[in-house]
Amino acid sequence: MKGLINWEALQKYRKMPFANMDEAAQEKQWGSVAGMYDGMAKLEKEFTKKQVGQMLLSAEDSVIDIGCGPGRLSVPVAQKVKSVTALDVSEEMLAKCMENARSEGVHNITPMRSNWLAKDAVENVGKYDIAIASRSVGFSDLVKINQIARKYVYILGWANAPSLREIQLDFLEGIGQEKMPHDPAARMFGYNMMFNMVYDMGANPNIVVVDDGFERDYVSREQAYADLRFVGEILPEFEEQYRSNVDRYLIPKQDGGFKLLRKTKTFVLWWRPDEVIGY
């Protein structure tokens, strides 16, 4: 049932650029940034546990993580459930995901190389107890993701706070990368839009905003400069600028060394698919 405001139409107006890419373009796009996403995911490893802590998971659950990337969520979720299917269109992302699973001693993740935007995606993917989409193509169609879940659907994204891409570009400011322009309408089209879409679908959505971010401890500035180079190519002539950018986010520790800390916020939105009617 549609409400007074057609939130679905508004979402299509604000749709993420990759939602209209063909499969080859998606694979190229996500494969090219697999290393960067993996590096960023490792910086938010402890904060990710707070997000997973908001989920109602059991040891008997089967889970699918749509647009799993390097397994940022797949790995910690797999530690709590029976099985996880990690779906991504990029072989490079899936390789990172499985590498991270092995390093954590996780053996119940099955990679699935598949295009969620394909017309037959629901039939190809099948049914799971829980469906998760975090900052991914799963956002593009909430009705679609609802169709593959039995118990819960979880959607995670930025809660009116700096995104991974914005934080990445801060490290590259002034060295060939343009900062993302501020969008004054961003809050207007934030998680409220997804919440209302789910509500209009007939479900009773739940939402919590988690304080999180990206962090790591370093024994020296030099260690930080070396560790963060995954953010992008830094030519020799931009080395001084890159180091200056990193320095802005290094906090001296009382016992020596430095802490990198970039704070942000994530919304965790979930609902029961059996409440959805008329879709």
Side-chain angles (χ1 to χ4, degrees):
M1 181 179 68
K2 300 294 185 185
L4 294 176
I5 298 175
N6 191 333
W7 295 99
E8 188 175 353
L10 286 173
Q11 187 203 36
K12 289 180 179 178
Y13 174 74
R14 297 280 296 185
K15 186 170 282 189
M16 295 172 285
F18 57 73
N20 293 318
M21 289 182 180
D22 62 28
E23 185 170 332
Q26 287 184 71
E27 185 170 19
K28 181 179 179 180
Q29 165 69 21
W30 296 119
S32 70
V33 294
M36 183 272 289
Y37 269 78
D38 185 51
M40 294 296 283
K42 286 179 168 64
L43 292 181
E44 51 180 332
K45 182 177 178 180
E46 292 304 312
F47 287 112
T48 297
K49 293 178 182 177
K50 294 175 61 178
Q51 299 166 19
V52 174
Q54 303 299 322
M55 299 180 185
L56 301 170
L57 304 171
S58 78
E60 294 75 38
D61 285 333
S62 62
V63 178
I64 185 166
D65 183 6
I66 298 172
C68 67
R72 185 184 73 87
L73 279 172
S74 292
V75 174
V77 167
Q79 294 171 330
K80 295 177 176 291
V81 302
K82 182 178 181 180
S83 64
V84 172
T85 296
L87 183 152
D88 208 284
V89 73
S90 164
E91 292 285 5
E92 289 88 347
M93 285 290 196
L94 289 173
K96 291 289 186 184
C97 177
M98 299 310 294
E99 177 184 320
N100 290 326
R102 288 190 294 272
S103 70
E104 292 291 327
V106 171
H107 304 290
N108 58 340
I109 297 179
T110 301
M112 178 185 288
R113 196 275 179 194
S114 186
N115 177 17
W116 176 249
L117 299 181
K119 291 182 180 180
D120 58 353
V122 171
E123 291 77 12
N124 292 337
V125 166
K127 281 273 192 178
Y128 299 83
D129 294 319
I130 293 171
I132 299 173
S134 175
R135 317 166 188 167
S136 77
V137 294
F139 281 13
S140 62
D141 192 331
L142 300 186
V143 174
K144 191 174 179 180
I145 193 173
N146 188 82
Q147 293 174 341
I148 65 170
R150 300 186 190 97
K151 292 171 63 175
Y152 294 104
V153 178
Y154 287 93
I155 301 293
L156 293 81
W158 308 108
N160 305 311
S163 69
L164 179 152
R165 179 66 169 156
E166 290 173 288
I167 291 171
Q168 177 219 4
L169 292 181
D170 281 347
F171 290 123
L172 299 175
E173 184 178 355
I175 59 177
Q177 295 283 344
E178 296 294 329
K179 291 193 68 171
M180 295 179 68
H182 173 67
D183 182 356
R187 185 175 174 86
M188 186 186 307
F189 296 97
Y191 57 76
N192 61 316
M193 184 164 61
M194 291 189 184
F195 183 96
N196 283 290
M197 286 175 64
V198 175
Y199 184 85
D200 286 350
M201 286 161 58
N204 294 298
N206 306 273
I207 193 165
V208 65
V209 175
V210 178
D211 290 319
D212 54 22
F214 302 79
E215 66 173 355
R216 181 164 292 167
D217 291 329
Y218 297 105
V219 298
S220 66
R221 293 185 186 274
E222 289 296 329
Q223 185 187 33
Y225 303 148
D227 182 60
L228 294 168
R229 292 185 186 278
F230 62 79
V231 296
E233 183 182 14
I234 297 123
L235 298 175
E237 58 265 34
F238 294 120
E239 181 67 23
E240 184 176 347
Q241 180 64 52
Y242 163 69
R243 293 182 174 222
S244 176
N245 293 342
V246 172
D247 284 343
R248 288 184 298 181
Y249 304 110
L250 293 180
I251 304 168
K253 298 167 62 179
Q254 288 187 346
D255 58 349
F258 299 87
K259 173 177 281 294
L260 170 76
L261 179 62
R262 294 299 315 274
K263 294 182 179 180
T264 186
K265 294 177 183 290
T266 295
F267 73 82
V268 183
L269 170 69
W270 73 98
W271 70 92
R272 287 174 45 189
D274 61 359
E275 293 181 333
V276 172
I277 55 176
Y279 281 83

